[in-house]
């Protein structure tokens, strides 16, 4: 026993030391580094860029951004560490000042730009001259090009398309069975990529020629119309232009009604057609619109969203500028963005827009607050609202599957729903 006892003590001591060493835990690993900042680039074609821009990273301070010019585009850049932010823009033209604030994710902020080829063209305007024949007594014809450039063919069979942007244009001529232009379309002529000098006399549009073709007709059903009446219209979104096919009809209560469009055989890659319907605010206080992008003119259904639940307004501050909060409750029909716009002194407009993703990341939801931009370099206090006087407001909500912004590329079946309401403060 006496000989083995020291050995037992040694084994016991070594075992105890071994237990002590094993029980010591290594220090915890260091926390992972924060993700790198997100680069945000908001680009505009020449002539469309705002006069002043600032960014906000999360809830941080507003920072003035300088433009960089590359080729035909002007770009404003920022690095955001947070998963949400904002961009503020000021545009001035013709005595009007427009302050626009857009709250969204870094990727959504880039949709504030505009490099859409249909909007980017030289500022030089031109006039095209033409003649249309094959129009019987009691019929009428229209020729359309960029956006609102749509004219009626005169009794002498001539027309002038004025103030067209220079460069390639798409032209669409339509002949209606009734002289008031509201009857059925009987023939169409579509000419693409017309790029001619100012004052050019175009080749004759002959509705009796092989160039003309019959339109397609189908029915559109308006879901959710309620007690209101609605107008409806169709447009062609072509390579260079968005052209009216039919102008908006008079307000009608018909839930199902015919619409005219181009046959799908007349479309090329990238073309989309648009059928839309609009109500006025006279009956319900909310003006609603619903739009569908399509290629094949088949029977379609357009779905209106709910009436606008009006926002509640509170005053955040009166100095150094009047800052207001417009709080909106969620409305499932409008799951893209919410907008509030104020007008003061007939020349000053302040607009705040918030996406659904930004609202979901905030405890206050759709809390559209005019920010304090006075600390950002270059911001002019004259651009802000001031206390006193009458303020008009316009609230809007946006839903559907169409992407945000002017650069959104519609696909076959894409939808857009909006609702508007106005008031005074």
């Amino acid at each position: 026993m006496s000989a083995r006892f020291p050995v037992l003590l040694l084994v016991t001591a070594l075992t105890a030391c071994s237990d002590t060493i094993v029980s010591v835990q290594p220090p915890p690993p260091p926390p992972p580094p924060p993700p790198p900042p997100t680069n945000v680039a908001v680009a505009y074609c020449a002539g469309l860029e705002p006069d002043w821009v600032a960014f906000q990273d999360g809830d941080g301070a507003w920072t003035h951004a300088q433009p960089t010019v590359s080729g035909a585009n002007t770009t404003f850049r920022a690095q955001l560490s947070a998963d949400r932010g904002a961009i503020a823009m000021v545009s001035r033209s013709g005595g009007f000042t427009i302050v626009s604030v857009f709250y969204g994710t870094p990727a959504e902020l880039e949709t504030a730009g505009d490099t859409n080829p249909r909007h980017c063209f030289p500022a030089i305007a031109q006039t095209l001259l033409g003649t249309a024949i094959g129009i019987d007594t009691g019929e009428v014809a229209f020729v359309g090009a960029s956006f609102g450039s749509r004219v009626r063919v005169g009794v002498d069979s001539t027309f002038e398309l004025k103030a067209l942007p220079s460069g390639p244009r798409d032209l669409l001529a339509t002949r209606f069975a009734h002289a008031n232009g509201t009857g059925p379309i009987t023939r169409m002529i579509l000419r693409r990529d017309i790029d001619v000098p100012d004052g050019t006399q175009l080749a004759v549009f002959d509705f009796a020629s092989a160039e003309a073709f019959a339109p397609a007709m189908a029915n559109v059903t308006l879901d959710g119309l309620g007690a209101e009446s609605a107008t409806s219209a169709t447009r062609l979104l072509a390579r260079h232009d968005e052209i009216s096919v039919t102008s908006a009809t008079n307000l009608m209560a018909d839930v199902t009604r015919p619409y005219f469009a181009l046959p799908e055989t007349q479309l090329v890659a990238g073309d989309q057609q648009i059928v839309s319907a609009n109500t006025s605010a006279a009956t319900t206080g909310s003006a609603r619109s619903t739009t569908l992008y399509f290629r094949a003119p088949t029977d379609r259904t357009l779905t209106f969203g709910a009436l606008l639940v009006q926002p509640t307004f509170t005053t955040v501050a009166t100095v150094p500028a009047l800052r207001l909060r417009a709080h909106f409750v969620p409305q499932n029909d409008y799951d893209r963005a919410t907008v509030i716009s104020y007008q003061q002194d007939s020349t000053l407009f302040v607009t705040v827009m918030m996406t659904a993703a930004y609202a979901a990341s905030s405890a206050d939801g759709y809390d559209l607050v005019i920010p304090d931009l006075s600390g950002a370099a270059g911001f002019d206090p004259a651009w802000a609202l001031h206390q006193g006087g009458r303020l008009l407001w316009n609230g809007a909500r946006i839903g559907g599957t169409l992407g945000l912004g002017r650069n959104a590329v519609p696909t076959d079946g894409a939808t857009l729903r909006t609702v508007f309401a106005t008031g005074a403060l």
Side-chain angles (χ1 to χ4, degrees):
M1 287 290 296
S2 61
R4 286 185 291 177
F5 185 67
V7 176
L8 181 61
L9 289 178
L10 178 61
V11 171
T12 303
L14 289 175
T15 304
C17 290
S18 176
D19 289 344
T20 301
I21 293 172
V22 171
S23 65
V24 174
Q25 299 297 320
T38 302
N39 293 316
V40 176
V42 183
Y44 301 85
C45 3
L48 298 182
E49 69 277 6
D51 299 296
W52 180 90
V53 169
F55 288 93
Q56 183 185 42
D57 186 0
D59 298 319
W62 288 89
T63 304
H64 183 213
Q66 296 290 348
T68 58
V69 179
S70 177
N73 288 348
T74 298
T75 304
F76 298 87
R77 303 179 187 277
Q79 287 190 329
L80 302 187
S81 299
D83 59 359
R84 63 176 190 166
I87 180 173
M89 302 151 285
V90 177
S91 300
R92 293 170 294 172
S93 177
F96 293 93
T97 299
I98 303 173
V99 180
S100 302
V101 180
F102 179 26
Y103 294 98
T105 66
E108 290 171 337
L109 296 185
E110 295 192 343
T111 67
D114 189 355
T115 55
N116 190 322
R118 296 184 183 91
H119 306 160
C120 301
F121 37 69
I124 302 172
Q126 62 180 3
T127 298
L128 300 181
L129 310 175
T131 301
I133 61 176
I135 307 169
D136 293 336
T137 303
E139 295 180 327
V140 67
F142 292 86
V143 182
S146 297
F147 301 100
S149 299
R150 184 172 184 261
V151 296
R152 180 173 179 153
V153 177
V155 294
D156 60 352
S157 300
T158 65
F159 63 87
E160 293 185 9
L161 285 170
K162 298 181 178 180
L164 289 178
S166 59
R169 301 267 67 86
D170 301 314
L171 307 180
L172 177 66
T174 50
R175 187 184 70 184
F176 290 80
H178 300 157
N180 59 7
T182 60
I185 298 175
T186 55
R187 301 296 282 178
M188 292 177 163
I189 297 174
L190 176 62
R191 293 181 183 173
R192 297 180 182 270
D193 303 319
I194 305 301
D195 192 0
V196 293
D198 180 33
T200 294
Q201 180 76 36
L202 301 169
V204 174
F205 287 77
D206 185 356
F207 287 102
S209 70
E211 185 183 22
F213 56 89
M217 187 184 75
N219 289 322
V220 58
T221 299
L222 306 183
D223 185 22
L225 182 59
E228 304 148 289
S229 296
T231 64
S232 54
T234 53
R235 304 189 300 279
L236 170 65
L237 193 63
R239 182 181 298 122
H240 305 297
D241 297 292
E242 183 175 330
I243 313 171
S244 292
V245 177
T246 61
S247 57
T249 59
N250 294 327
L251 284 168
M252 298 188 303
D254 300 0
V255 171
T256 299
R257 59 189 70 184
Y259 74 93
F260 291 88
L262 280 75
E264 191 174 9
T265 55
Q266 294 292 330
L267 305 183
V268 298
D271 283 353
Q272 291 288 338
Q273 303 197 76
I274 306 169
V275 59
S276 60
N278 300 271
T279 70
S280 73
T283 304
T284 62
S286 291
R288 298 182 291 164
S289 71
T290 176
T291 301
L292 173 69
Y293 294 82
F294 67 94
R295 285 182 62 87
T298 59
D299 289 351
R300 302 281 184 172
T301 298
L302 294 178
T303 302
F304 284 105
L307 300 177
L308 180 72
V309 178
Q310 295 200 4
T312 55
F313 295 95
T314 53
T315 300
V316 177
T318 57
V319 292
L322 176 62
R323 297 173 50 226
L324 301 174
R325 171 186 286 109
H327 183 79
F328 292 79
V329 299
Q331 290 190 258
N332 293 335
D333 290 338
Y334 309 107
D335 54 359
R336 303 294 295 191
T338 299
V339 185
I340 187 70
S341 181
Y342 304 94
Q343 177 185 344
Q344 189 174 56
D345 298 336
S346 74
T347 59
L348 177 60
F349 299 83
V350 175
T351 296
V352 181
M353 178 175 177
M354 181 180 291
T355 67
Y358 189 103
S361 69
S362 170
D364 297 321
Y366 289 102
D367 222 27
L368 277 62
V369 177
I370 300 176
D372 182 5
L373 299 172
S374 61
F379 185 80
D380 189 338
W383 299 339
L385 299 178
H386 55 269
Q387 191 173 18
R390 190 165 181 256
L391 272 180
L392 302 178
W393 64 267
N394 186 320
R397 309 201 78 162
I398 304 168
T401 60
L402 182 68
L404 294 171
R406 298 176 180 88
N407 293 333
V409 179
T411 56
D412 192 9
T415 59
L416 175 66
R417 290 187 302 272
T418 59
V419 61
F420 302 87
T422 61
L425 296 176

